[in-house]
Amino acid sequence: MKKNKYLILTILWMLFIFVMSQTPGNDSSKQSNFIVDIIIHILPITRDTLSFIVRKCAHMTEYAILGWLAFAFSGTFEMRQKVHYIAALGFAFCYASTDEFHQLFIPGRSGQFTDVCIDTAGAAIGLL
C-alpha cells in the first residue's frame, strides 16, 4: 500500500509539472508576475531580475518536491540508502530533460539545458 501511495503521488506531481510546462509563455509570465507584483514593493530589485528569480525558484521548488517523492517511492524497494538518492536524482534529471524537450513545442517557451540543471539542483535540495 505504501508503495502505491508514493507512486500515485509521484505520478500526480509529474502531471502537475507537465501541465505547468504546457502553459504558453505569455500565460506563464502572468503567473510569475502575480508573485513579482507582491514582492517588488518589498525588495529593492528590478522587475526583470525578480521575475527571473521567481521563475527559477518555481522550477527548483517543483523539482525539490519531485525529488523527495521519487526518493520516498524508491524507499519502498530493498536497496541501500545511497542508491535511493542516486535513483531519485537520476529520475529527476531524466524527467527535467523530457520536460524541457516538451517545452520546445509550446508557444513562447523554450527548452534549455540550464533549466534542466536548475531542476536537478532543486531535486538535490529536496533530497537533502
Side-chain angles (χ1 to χ4, degrees):
M1 181 63 180
K2 185 177 178 183
K3 185 187 298 188
N4 290 338
K5 177 176 80 169
Y6 287 119
L7 175 61
I8 291 167
L9 288 172
T10 302
I11 291 170
L12 287 174
W13 194 253
M14 290 168 65
L15 287 171
F16 172 77
I17 292 172
F18 180 84
V19 169
M20 295 303 288
S21 294
Q22 187 74 19
T23 307
N26 289 337
D27 295 339
S28 179
S29 292
K30 287 177 188 174
Q31 290 172 342
S32 299
N33 287 337
F34 173 76
I35 303 297
V36 169
D37 289 339
I38 294 169
I39 300 173
I40 196 77
H41 302 293
I42 300 168
L43 298 175
I45 191 169
T46 67
R47 177 174 278 286
D48 288 343
T49 302
L50 183 57
S51 179
F52 177 81
I53 292 169
V54 166
R55 286 184 286 119
K56 299 312 169 187
C57 283
H59 272 262
M60 291 186 92
T61 303
E62 285 178 342
Y63 279 86
I65 294 168
L66 182 64
W68 183 86
L69 287 170
F71 177 78
F73 175 65
S74 73
T76 62
F77 298 99
E78 293 296 322
M79 54 182 142
R80 292 184 313 197
Q81 186 83 359
K82 184 177 180 179
V83 175
H84 291 291
Y85 287 107
I86 294 168
L89 192 61
F91 174 77
F93 173 80
C94 290
Y95 192 71
S97 298
T98 62
D99 182 47
E100 291 302 316
F101 179 74
H102 166 240
Q103 288 182 36
L104 292 173
F105 304 99
I106 308 300
R109 303 291 293 260
S110 63
Q112 298 180 11
F113 184 70
T114 54
D115 282 348
V116 173
C117 294
I118 290 168
D119 296 343
T120 305
I125 290 169
L127 291 171
L128 291 176

